[in-house]
Amino acid sequence: MLVGLLLTTAAVASAQAITQNLKACATSYDPNVNYFPETISSSLPLSKLTYTYSKNYKTIVNSFSNETVVLYQCGTPKPTVPGATVIIPVPIQNVTIDSTTIVTYLELLGQRNAIKYTTSGTNGYISSPCIQAIMANTPTAIQETDDKNPANQITQIQSTQAYFQYYSSIAANVSNAVTFPASADPGEFGRAEWLGFVGSFFNLEAMANNITNTLVSNYKALSANANQAPFKPIVAWIEYDQAYAGSAGFPATPASWKVNANDWQRNLTTGAGATFFTPPAGSKGVLASTYGVSYTYTKVEDLLADLSSVDIVVDESFYDVNSTDFATSFNDRAEFLGGASAHKFVSNGQIYMYNRQVSPTNGGSEEFEAGTIEINVMLADLISATHPDALPTYTRTFLRNIFNEPEVVVTAKECVNSNAPLELPVVSGFVAPTATALGAVSTGGAAGAGATGASTTSKSGAWTFSGVSGVFVGALALLF
């Protein structure tokens, strides 16, 4: 009787001792124990994800892809959940990824070493110095799946505990596929929401909450400061799509030009103390929302006419690198080379692209990789263009002026410690803007010739550069 009482008391004490989510499998199971005392509870309003926590499992409803993901504590019984799309034991130890977008999410959570496979062609686009270092030091650490042998590729993906993908043709053939659509999320805060989603697979909800709260707080502080400015320049986000000759099963398409109008672009613009440009009444741009929201033009002259009032242009064209490329894409070559233009964004040198940092192999954009989650840095970069006096000592990370700022190649030598988590960059040193107009930017320099330069920004477990300092907001106890 006394022994039974002692055992019962020990079980109660054990249950009370679980104050953090486990970082390994449970060694015993008690149905009365709450195995997830730490839940998603950041200051970020959730728009695409709904979390429900039970004693030994958590359910995440992903309204973006209409999936129900069930994650249960390994070492405890697998639950039966009607309508579950996938059921995975956690914390997971390894993953397969199909794009670079999720890389920074994993790095912030201290889980870059969990990447075991990437789908074919991905590795060359990864710009993370520490991922590059891992692949250089141990070539077998992160391998691309065998796309020439579908059966082997499926076996490779199935050997990992989760396959984070978005519209992958392989997903239907494996049992561990999880949709990760962060880059397609229309809102900038929505993109940040996916950090908690990824963290849940590693039982790192507390860490994800801390990072997200810091991220949102820094974003809001930057925005509040920029919106004190006495003027608001007009910013247009434009894009050029080359003509496509067509191929088997894919029709030919003519060249087209776009004004993009997605929520995240609009919110970044207004957050940067600027006015978001949309085509005026009577415009020949046709509104469409098939792949994002945009106004499409069949004649570049019509687009250029609509842009007559614009102060700043963000060129999102995949094919453009420098001012000569821009001039070719937008049929304005003579104005660029001659130095005279009726467009303010040309004559004042106010044309930018979000491709300042790229990978050494295929020129993969650091903005596509890290900018999806580092929305505070995306905002600071844009503020440095809309209100330069608000960030007097700031060095841009993703955004560059195509006239005078070359692309920067990020390499493995910049990684300090590949085992340390990536620190969230927090932008500081901002002051109230006082300028009443946007000045001209010098259009000289190597960027006009399309030159690239060596990186001066270190991205690793701990890094600092002008205007941005790395702040690790997780606890060491949360790392594996």
Side-chain angles (χ1 to χ4, degrees):
M1 187 70 159
L2 178 59
V3 172
L5 178 61
L6 290 174
L7 289 175
T8 302
T9 303
V12 172
S14 175
Q16 292 175 339
I18 299 181
T19 58
Q20 293 184 332
N21 292 354
L22 299 178
K23 305 308 179 289
C25 290
T27 56
S28 62
Y29 172 62
D30 183 340
N32 297 312
V33 169
N34 174 17
Y35 287 91
F36 302 115
E38 297 170 323
T39 63
I40 291 296
S41 59
S42 73
S43 60
L44 187 68
L46 301 180
S47 60
K48 303 294 188 303
L49 300 167
T50 303
Y51 296 82
T52 303
Y53 285 84
S54 301
K55 292 289 187 181
N56 76 315
Y57 68 93
K58 44 195 168 185
T59 303
I60 310 173
V61 177
N62 176 356
S63 63
F64 195 102
S65 58
N66 294 318
E67 292 178 346
T68 298
V69 177
V70 176
L71 308 175
Y72 70 98
Q73 175 61 47
C74 62
T76 72
K78 180 179 180 180
T80 299
V81 180
T85 308
V86 62
I87 301 178
I88 296 174
V90 293
I92 61 174
Q93 303 299 320
N94 48 63
V95 300
T96 300
I97 63 174
D98 80 341
S99 79
T100 64
T101 306
I102 196 173
V103 166
T104 306
Y105 289 79
L106 292 168
E107 290 191 295
L108 286 168
L109 293 165
Q111 301 299 321
R112 65 168 64 90
N113 287 303
I115 304 172
K116 182 177 180 182
Y117 287 109
T118 67
T119 48
S120 181
T122 301
N123 285 2
Y125 288 96
I126 294 177
S127 61
S128 163
C130 287
I131 297 292
Q132 291 183 48
I134 290 171
M135 294 189 293
N137 295 332
T138 310
T140 58
I142 301 175
Q143 300 182 59
E144 293 188 346
T145 57
D146 185 3
D147 65 336
K148 293 181 172 53
N149 184 334
N152 189 39
Q153 185 178 42
I154 290 171
T155 299
Q156 290 170 325
I157 293 173
Q158 290 272 92
S159 73
T160 59
Q161 293 171 288
Y163 170 37
F164 288 106
Q165 54 78 40
Y166 183 54
Y167 280 135
S168 168
S169 59
I170 312 166
N173 300 316
V174 298
S175 60
N176 59 345
V178 177
T179 300
F180 180 76
S183 62
D185 199 299
E188 78 283 20
F189 286 140
R191 294 178 171 203
E193 179 180 349
W194 295 95
L195 183 67
F197 179 73
V198 177
S200 298
F201 285 78
F202 297 92
N203 282 355
L204 294 176
E205 282 92 336
M207 188 176 187
N209 289 338
N210 289 337
I211 295 172
T212 302
N213 289 340
T214 301
L215 179 71
V216 172
S217 176
N218 192 221
Y219 184 101
K220 290 182 176 179
L222 285 163
S223 178
N225 183 69
N227 276 279
Q228 297 179 75
F231 80 105
K232 294 183 181 295
I234 301 173
V235 178
W237 299 67
I238 66 175
E239 183 178 354
Y240 167 61
D241 288 335
Q242 288 183 341
Y244 176 60
S247 61
F250 297 94
T253 56
S256 62
W257 297 263
K258 297 177 182 177
V259 171
N260 291 325
N262 295 294
D263 287 348
W264 71 268
Q265 294 157 332
R266 184 185 304 274
N267 294 342
L268 272 182
T269 301
T270 57
T275 300
F276 184 76
F277 173 81
T278 53
S283 169
K284 294 183 179 179
V286 178
L287 179 62
S289 56
T290 305
Y291 301 103
V293 181
S294 62
Y295 296 82
T296 301
Y297 298 76
T298 57
K299 293 182 179 180
V300 67
E301 293 82 2
D302 295 332
L303 169 61
L304 291 172
D306 282 356
L307 297 177
S308 60
S309 65
V310 169
D311 297 294
I312 295 173
V313 156
V314 179
D315 178 12
E316 299 186 284
S317 306
F318 181 79
Y319 310 98
D320 291 350
V321 173
N322 52 55
S323 55
T324 302
D325 293 338
F326 180 90
T328 301
S329 296
F330 293 93
N331 200 31
D332 208 15
R333 188 181 185 92
E335 291 186 348
F336 276 83
L337 299 183
S341 175
H343 294 89
K344 290 182 289 184
F345 58 85
V346 176
S347 59
N348 289 333
Q350 296 287 354
I351 304 174
Y352 298 86
M353 295 189 73
Y354 272 104
N355 65 347
R356 183 173 186 269
Q357 297 192 35
V358 296
S359 69
T361 306
N362 294 329
S365 170
E366 174 76 350
E367 180 270 330
F368 183 77
E369 183 172 312
T372 306
I373 177 62
E374 293 177 2
I375 58 173
N376 58 329
V377 181
M378 290 282 288
L379 178 63
D381 280 7
L382 189 57
I383 291 172
S384 72
T386 59
H387 299 289
D389 59 330
L391 290 165
T393 62
Y394 182 74
T395 299
R396 288 188 281 264
T397 299
F398 306 122
L399 191 71
R400 69 183 181 90
N401 187 293
I402 69 172
F403 289 105
N404 58 23
E405 293 177 317
E407 287 183 335
V408 175
V409 178
V410 185
T411 65
K413 67 182 181 181
E414 296 163 53
C415 175
V416 177
N417 183 357
S418 62
N419 292 316
L422 176 66
E423 298 174 1
L424 176 71
V426 175
V427 182
S428 59
F430 48 88
V431 297
T434 58
T436 57
L438 192 65
V441 174
S442 170
T443 56
T452 58
S455 174
T456 58
T457 300
S458 173
K459 187 165 188 179
S460 60
W463 57 282
T464 301
F465 61 96
S466 178
V468 179
S469 61
V471 176
F472 176 40
V473 294
L476 292 178
L478 296 174
L479 304 179
F480 66 92

